[in-house]
Amino acid sequence: MAAKTKKSEKNRSILMISSEMVPFAKTGGLADVVGSLPIELAKLGMDVRVVIPRYYSIDPAKWDLSPTLSSMGVWMGGELEWCSVYQTRIRDMVTVYFIEHHGFFGRDGLYHDAFMNDFLDNPRRFAFLTRAALQLAIDLEFQPDVVHAHDWQTALAPAYLKTWFGNHPILGNAASVLTIHNAAYQGVYPKHHFPYIGLDWKHFHADAFESYDYINFLKGGIYFADLVNTVSPGYAREITSPHGGFRLAPYLSNKGENFFGILNGVDYADWSPENDKMIPQSFSTSDPEGKRVCKRQLQKHFCLDEDPKIPIFAAIGRFVDQKGFNLLAPAIERALDTMLMQFVILGSGDPGLQEFFGRLPGKYPGRAGSHIGYDIALSHLIEAGADFFLMPSLYEPCGLNQLYSLRYGTLPIVRATGGLGDTVENYAEATGEGTGFTFNNADASALYSTIGWANSTWWDRPAHIKKMRERAMRQDFSWDKSSAQYQETYEKIIAAKRKRDG
Ligand code: ADP
């Protein structure tokens, strides 16, 4: 029988497992969330430990990594796979462990190579990470009340807990939470990897891991997790609606009250114009001058005409279908042809879109700028210096950039989907209320019209822009509310598990 712990809500122990985490390794919003949520939970009194891979881009000296275990054997596919473990502390509140395995993590790229080809051994790499994280808890005798997994990469955790460790003295008490940051990425792989993962074939069935004769990591995680959440209430509704959730809707709906949305928070220590160390001058609602300085710097950076009167429209993101850049390409070209405005974009991905956006500065000299690549400092300058921020996503689980934009007074122009619809309040032309501009139809002309609406507001109703900007900057999407919801969620599943286990 599992050992009983008698801990109060405050000092719960949480084991979080993730494939990315700010500031160590990031490709998207998952890293931002795993970088800040554990700190917020620690502020509530919890002992939170996070386990991530030691990708070779993570420099041990820079992050002050110290050895935890020089060799740890992890049972994979019927034999032991060996690794070592390092650790560091962040903000003196959270311990982060790094799983070092040269074969799996000693290469460039988190999930794919420089040509965007997914690594073929991804199912093994992340099954290993997940199983290693649980092994680490055992070896350190860290007894978690909750194991919190994120996305398909670590979705095996709930299955391992239930099938391997149900009665284990260290892990037997742990309830499991799986957070879905994006339901489109499910981790679907040929079934010949299943023996390596180490689960019995009886779990390879249509309600759990099997999808059209392939392994589906996320689907199996949903089946085994005590509770599943996603990152906004709007997206939770969308992915449980008929035909939603990229074929996961029925499985998510089956979770009943154990599936819902908790909106992501923002770490305003990193992302606010008062505190941002990466921008040339700080600013706030009471001292807006810095925004003008940032705008000039942004125009200089992209060789745009340095005119403070011209509005800058901006976009940042991965060039993948989800983000709607296929709509943005024709819409922005038409807008640049017909409106007095400037445009900048930072991102990479689809080669066709890279080429398209890469050529814009040549076609519109002094009016368009593009940086094809990944640049965190530039993303801060864009948030601070631009006037409007474009997010025409086809779907958006939460979206962080619109939340950052609001705080920097860079009015978001968004398609009202998922978290975007939950967080951006549409402009009311009669009163000047609102925090941004929203549209519904996923087509380039709807986006073009909305860009036109924002641009005409800029030129014709500047008092409304000022009012919206101030309102946007006052919006509060800090973690306080969301971390309290996670705490409540943990308590709920801990209580349910203890009741079930007697
Ligand atoms: P997703 O996780 O789907 O990519 P989110 O809006 O949740 O989208 O989070 C994206 C995060 O990644 C934001 O912090 C954004 O600034 C950052 N980001 C995306 N592309 C780039 C890039 N090319 N350079 C710098 N940061 C980027």
Side-chain angles (χ1 to χ4, degrees):
M1 205 39 227
K4 291 267 181 303
T5 48
K6 286 210 178 57
K7 287 186 230 165
S8 74
E9 292 186 16
K10 268 194 159 305
N11 50 24
R12 294 294 188 199
S13 302
I14 313 297
L15 177 69
M16 225 178 251
I17 319 173
S18 175
S19 57
E20 338 187 344
M21 178 182 192
V22 161
F24 309 108
K26 166 168 171 174
T27 69
L30 165 65
D32 291 282
V33 173
V34 178
S36 39
L37 176 60
I39 294 167
E40 300 300 321
L41 297 172
K43 284 184 196 160
L44 297 174
M46 294 180 225
D47 178 1
V48 189
R49 320 272 181 104
V50 189
V51 182
I52 65 170
R54 212 288 269 180
Y55 300 111
Y56 272 31
S57 53
I58 300 175
D59 178 359
K62 178 172 174 192
W63 301 112
D64 200 19
L65 305 196
S66 58
T68 310
L69 296 173
S70 49
S71 68
M72 180 171 82
V74 181
W75 205 248
M76 301 298 304
E79 57 184 44
L80 284 175
E81 186 88 54
W82 294 91
C83 62
S84 49
V85 184
Y86 290 83
Q87 71 186 78
T88 194
R89 291 274 288 173
I90 48 169
R91 297 203 203 162
D92 209 22
M93 275 193 274
V94 171
T95 302
V96 184
Y97 298 102
F98 300 81
I99 305 295
E100 163 125 338
H101 182 296
H102 181 80
F104 282 151
F105 305 123
R107 57 182 89 165
D108 286 338
L110 270 55
Y111 312 122
H112 49 73
D113 65 18
F115 303 100
M116 307 298 286
N117 298 310
D118 274 1
F119 298 130
L120 292 177
D121 58 352
N122 275 346
R124 291 172 187 241
R125 296 170 75 223
F126 294 106
F128 171 72
L129 168 72
T130 308
R131 181 64 187 77
L134 298 177
Q135 188 61 45
L136 181 64
I138 293 170
D139 287 11
L140 298 179
E141 296 186 17
F142 175 69
Q143 212 180 2
D145 296 292
V146 173
V147 172
H148 190 155
H150 295 269
D151 277 347
W152 75 263
Q153 290 90 338
T154 57
L156 287 171
Y160 284 142
L161 282 178
K162 286 237 165 79
T163 60
W164 280 50
F165 300 114
N167 293 317
H168 193 277
I170 300 289
L171 295 174
N173 253 348
S176 58
V177 178
L178 171 63
T179 300
I180 301 178
H181 298 258
N182 192 332
Y185 299 93
Q186 298 178 7
V188 177
Y189 294 102
K191 64 183 177 188
H192 65 78
H193 292 293
F194 209 63
Y196 181 82
I197 287 169
L199 293 172
D200 195 291
W201 279 107
K202 73 179 183 207
H203 303 301
F204 190 74
H205 62 80
D207 283 332
F209 280 101
E210 189 264 346
S211 241
Y212 304 93
D213 213 29
Y214 279 74
I215 312 169
N216 184 320
F217 276 54
L218 192 60
K219 187 159 162 275
I222 292 168
Y223 179 79
F224 280 102
D226 291 318
L227 189 137
V228 182
N229 80 298
T230 187
V231 289
S232 71
Y235 189 61
R237 278 193 301 278
E238 281 173 23
I239 60 178
T240 43
S241 65
H243 312 297
F246 302 88
R247 296 186 171 148
L248 292 180
Y251 308 98
L252 291 167
S253 301
N254 275 347
K255 302 300 279 189
E257 61 175 26
N258 288 324
F259 174 69
F260 51 85
I262 301 178
L263 198 67
N264 283 337
V266 172
D267 187 348
Y268 287 125
D270 275 349
W271 288 100
S272 75
E274 290 97 331
N275 304 326
D276 197 328
K277 308 267 182 309
M278 298 193 207
I279 61 176
Q281 190 170 317
S282 57
F283 59 93
S284 62
T285 39
S286 56
D287 177 19
E289 172 55 25
K291 186 152 179 91
R292 276 188 279 279
V293 175
C294 294
K295 179 167 178 174
R296 203 176 318 124
Q297 179 63 31
L298 183 62
Q299 288 174 320
K300 212 187 273 289
H301 181 93
F302 281 109
C303 302
L304 305 181
D305 299 336
E306 288 174 42
D307 183 343
K309 292 194 295 302
I310 312 282
I312 306 181
F313 291 70
I316 301 173
R318 297 176 294 119
F319 295 173
V320 292
D321 288 348
Q322 172 200 345
K323 299 292 176 185
F325 289 129
N326 281 316
L327 313 183
L328 182 60
I332 207 67
E333 200 165 37
R334 198 167 152 209
L336 284 162
D337 281 339
T338 54
M339 299 176 204
L340 190 51
M341 60 176 292
Q342 296 178 346
F343 171 68
V344 298
I345 187 161
L346 163 65
S348 62
D350 178 83
L353 286 170
Q354 291 193 164
E355 190 177 330
F356 176 86
F357 288 117
R359 282 172 192 253
L360 276 188
K363 186 162 177 205
Y364 301 97
R367 300 183 57 217
S370 64
H371 180 111
I372 305 304
Y374 197 89
D375 186 330
I376 291 178
L378 182 56
S379 73
H380 283 248
L381 179 65
I382 291 174
E383 288 289 2
D387 298 299
F388 298 101
F389 197 92
L390 294 152
M391 292 181 79
S393 305
L394 303 185
Y395 68 91
E396 195 59 74
C398 175
L400 290 170
N401 276 123
Q402 86 281 12
L403 303 181
Y404 304 152
S405 302
L406 289 168
R407 186 44 72 105
Y408 288 80
T410 303
L411 301 177
I413 297 173
V414 304
R415 183 162 172 267
T417 177
L420 297 176
D422 286 347
T423 55
V424 179
E425 193 192 324
N426 198 14
Y427 170 50
E429 199 169 311
T431 60
E433 304 286 310
T435 58
F437 298 82
T438 72
F439 63 101
N440 290 306
N441 289 356
D443 60 57
S445 64
L447 173 58
Y448 169 74
S449 301
T450 314
I451 293 171
W453 190 28
N455 198 43
S456 66
T457 308
W458 173 269
W459 291 106
D460 302 340
R461 292 175 296 283
H464 281 185
I465 294 286
K466 183 166 180 286
K467 186 171 171 182
M468 288 172 82
R469 199 171 247 184
E470 287 170 3
R471 189 181 173 92
M473 291 174 78
R474 279 197 307 270
Q475 300 294 303
D476 184 2
F477 291 101
S478 57
W479 270 104
D480 300 358
K481 213 165 118 201
S482 309
S483 57
Q485 279 177 282
Y486 274 103
Q487 185 177 36
E488 239 173 71
T489 301
Y490 291 164
E491 288 309 316
K492 177 177 146 178
I493 51 162
I494 291 167
K497 177 161 169 57
R498 304 278 147 95
K499 198 165 155 205
R500 255 195 334 266
D501 293 352

